[in-house]
């Protein structure tokens, strides 16, 4: 398959620029496109064949649900059932934006889109290209991240090209995304709202709008969970992983630096390529030849935005062993650590 790569400027794109992408979606094909979180791999959410194509292109397990992207509230009522007042309050506060909510699904949404579940995950993206693609195509877009399953999510079109060139119909290149980690997912189908995946919209932010929100125990656990029914993407399988062996080193910063320096020195003596994921504040403390800053501890947003890019960089330099500092799990740090632990296969070194 020849994959069309089309550059679009999110601030100045013309309506006709999306015409080919809309035609592909309408005919059951796949289009990768930018959102405010990461790049998504989109297909018609109401066509079984489109969902199957997404799973095949990504190499994704078919019991891993897809998120349905909509452009307006009419779309929510069209695909979801039993929409509570609390859900409407969250939509009012955070849509369009990086929040996904789970509801009972309408019959028209195929089980192939929902991973065989009776619930559907729904999001209204704020990125102008994503929003216009949904509106102009007239299609609800089922879209996981546009990467090979298990690899770091794509924050640039180059990442999508690297993973999916020749496997999908089209890639809309809208430049680097802003947030850099996937949307928060909250289950609104039960008695109490429950976060199934942390993200930019935090527990505190939601509780300011609707009161108490629970957090799924699978998120809080420091061990992989494989024997669960995944109601949301990212709950069950290893994700975001570089090819090298990644470990998260936890403790006070002096002990962390000393431990990482010890480990990387041993690797270098054995002529094994090692790398360190540090911060602007700590990068000069490491003796390893390959030290990269993920961002500043003064700005959690910079760390989130740089996370997947630096994990892919580890593959580009051929790092066989990778050591990363840990981060505070307050606010956005919770989402960052959730992704890092999954990328490391829950390999932690405590010092």
């Amino acid at each position: 398959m020849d994959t069309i790569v089309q550059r679009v400027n999110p601030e100045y794109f013309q309506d006709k620029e999306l015409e080919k992408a809309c035609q592909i979606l309408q005919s059951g094909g796949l289009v990768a496109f930018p959102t405010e979180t990461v790049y998504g791999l989109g297909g018609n959410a109401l066509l079984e064949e489109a969902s199957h194509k997404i799973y095949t292109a990504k190499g994704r397990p078919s019991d891993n649900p897809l998120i349905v992207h909509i452009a307006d509230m009419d779309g929510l009522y069209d695909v979801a059932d039993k929409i509570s007042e609390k859900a409407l309050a969250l939509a009012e506060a955070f849509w369009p934006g990086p929040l996904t909510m789970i509801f009972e699904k309408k019959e028209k949404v195929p089980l192939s889109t929902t991973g065989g579940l009776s619930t559907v995950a729904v999001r209204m993206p704020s990125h102008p290209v994503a929003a216009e693609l949904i509106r102009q195509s007239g299609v609800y877009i089922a879209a996981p991240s546009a990467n090979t399953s298990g690899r770091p999510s794509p924050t640039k079109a180059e990442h999508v090209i690297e993973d999916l060139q020749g496997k999908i119909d089209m890639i809309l290149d809208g430049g680097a995304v802003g947030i850099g980690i996937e949307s928060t997912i909250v289950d609104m189908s039960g008695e109490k709202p429950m976060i199934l995946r942390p993200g930019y919209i935090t527990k505190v932010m939601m509780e300011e709008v609707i009161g108490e929100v629970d957090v799924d125990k699978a998120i809080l656990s420091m061990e992989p969970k494989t024997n669960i029914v995944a109601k949301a993407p990212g709950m069950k399988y290893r994700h975001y992983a570089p090819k090298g062996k990644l470990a998260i080193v936890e403790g006070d910063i002096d002990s962390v630096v000393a431990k990482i320096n010890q480990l990387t020195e041993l690797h270098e003596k054995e002529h094994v390529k090692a790398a360190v994921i540090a911060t602007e504040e700590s990068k000069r403390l490491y003796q390893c030849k390959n030290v990269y800053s993920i961002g500043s501890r003064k700005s959690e947003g910079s760390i989130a935005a740089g996370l997947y890019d630096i994990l892919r960089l580890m593959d580009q330099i051929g790092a066989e062993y990778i050591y990363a500092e840990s981060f505070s799990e307050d606010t956005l740090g919770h989402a960052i650590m959730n992704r890092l632990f999954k990328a490391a296969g829950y390999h932690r070194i405590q010092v």
Side-chain angles (χ1 to χ4, degrees), residues 194-196 214-223 225 235:
M194 180 175 290
I195 296 173
L196 303 185
D214 282 346
V215 179
D216 189 270
K217 292 179 180 178
I219 294 175
L220 299 174
S221 173
M222 295 302 179
E223 300 295 334
K225 299 292 182 183
M235 290 187 69

Side-chain angles (χ1 to χ4, degrees), residues 74-91:
D74 287 343
L76 175 63
Y77 287 105
D78 200 22
V79 300
D81 203 2
K82 299 179 182 177
I83 302 166
S84 67
E85 290 299 318
K86 287 186 176 182
L88 293 175
L90 289 177

Side-chain angles (χ1 to χ4, degrees), residues 56-300:
T56 299
K58 283 178 62 70
R60 181 186 177 99
S62 60
D63 64 345
N64 204 358
L66 307 176
I67 294 174
V68 176
H69 291 63
I70 60 173
D72 51 43
M73 291 300 290
D74 287 343
L76 175 63
Y77 287 105
D78 200 22
V79 300
D81 203 2
K82 299 179 182 177
I83 302 166
S84 67
E85 290 299 318
K86 287 186 176 182
L88 293 175
L90 289 177
E92 176 69 22
F94 301 117
W95 275 4
L99 178 68
T100 295
M101 291 189 277
I102 293 177
F103 305 94
E104 294 295 323
K105 78 176 188 71
K106 289 284 182 67
E107 188 174 346
K108 66 167 55 180
V109 182
L111 291 173
S112 59
T113 296
T114 64
L117 301 175
S118 62
T119 53
V120 60
V122 186
R123 180 162 105 79
M124 188 188 296
S126 62
H127 194 286
V129 173
E132 276 304 307
L133 187 62
I134 300 165
R135 292 191 188 99
Q136 292 185 29
S137 67
V139 167
Y140 304 131
I141 301 179
S145 54
N147 58 308
T148 300
S149 187
R151 294 214 62 212
S153 297
T155 56
K156 301 174 181 176
E158 298 94 295
H159 300 160
V160 185
I161 293 168
E162 180 183 349
D163 281 11
L164 299 178
Q165 177 84 17
K167 298 179 181 179
I168 62 176
D169 299 285
M170 189 174 194
I171 299 169
L172 292 174
D173 178 359
V177 302
I179 293 174
I181 56 174
E182 298 85 354
S183 61
T184 305
I185 299 179
V186 58
D187 187 359
M188 303 301 294
S189 66
E191 293 183 7
K192 185 182 291 185
M194 180 175 290
I195 296 173
L196 303 185
R197 183 176 72 187
Y200 185 82
I201 305 301
T202 65
K203 181 176 186 288
V204 171
M205 292 165 68
M206 284 187 278
E207 288 185 332
E208 288 176 350
V209 177
I210 62 171
E212 188 176 0
V213 176
D214 282 346
V215 179
D216 189 270
K217 292 179 180 178
I219 294 175
L220 299 174
S221 173
M222 295 302 179
E223 300 295 334
K225 299 292 182 183
T226 57
N227 59 341
I228 61 173
V229 175
K231 293 188 73 173
M235 290 187 69
K236 186 173 181 180
Y237 299 98
R238 188 182 181 203
H239 286 262
Y240 325 118
K243 295 174 183 176
K245 295 181 180 179
L246 171 64
I248 314 303
V249 185
E250 300 180 303
D252 66 86
I253 188 62
D254 291 338
S255 299
V256 167
V257 170
K259 184 64 175 178
I260 291 177
N261 280 336
Q262 177 191 21
L263 291 167
T264 55
E265 183 181 4
L266 288 172
H267 292 313
E268 288 179 356
K269 285 181 178 178
E270 296 168 352
H271 304 288
V272 174
K273 193 163 194 174
V276 179
I277 297 175
T279 62
E280 286 299 306
E281 292 80 6
S282 65
K283 63 183 181 181
R284 293 172 184 84
L285 302 175
Y286 293 101
Q287 299 163 3
C288 182
K289 295 177 182 177
N290 305 296
V291 179
Y292 298 91
S293 171
I294 193 174
S296 172
R297 289 185 181 273
K298 297 176 183 178
S299 170
E300 287 183 327

